[in-house]
Amino acid sequence: MPIIALIVIGAAAGFLATRLMRIEADIPTTMLIGIIGALVGGFVLRALITVAGWLSGFVGAVLGALLVIWIWQCFLRR
């Protein structure tokens, strides 16, 4: 999946991930979490699973965003 697509999907995934994790964040932070999560999740999902399509990219983006939020809560937000 191209980087641009991961960024666009990541913005939506960040919104969904912050709602699932019940995080109150401003719009730029939400987008940043989603974009980083999309990049991490997209690359990991592409490496681990050879499933093609936009849905797999979105699932990977949401999982990556959830991972970024979890790391943020555990290590950076004390």
Side-chain angles (χ1 to χ4, degrees):
M1 183 175 297
I3 299 296
I4 300 298
L6 287 176
I7 291 171
V8 171
I9 290 173
F15 174 77
L16 182 60
T18 56
R19 298 303 170 252
L20 289 173
M21 297 290 287
R22 296 185 180 142
I23 298 292
E24 292 297 326
D26 56 359
I27 293 173
T29 303
T30 300
M31 289 179 64
L32 183 63
I33 288 171
I35 290 167
I36 292 171
L39 293 173
V40 169
F43 290 131
V44 168
L45 191 64
R46 187 177 1 170
L48 296 177
I49 302 173
T50 58
V51 177
W54 288 96
L55 183 59
S56 66
F58 184 73
V59 170
V62 171
L63 292 175
L66 291 172
L67 178 65
V68 169
I69 290 172
W70 180 77
I71 291 170
W72 180 44
Q73 284 183 332
C74 290
F75 299 108
L76 301 177
R77 201 171 174 210
R78 291 188 180 220

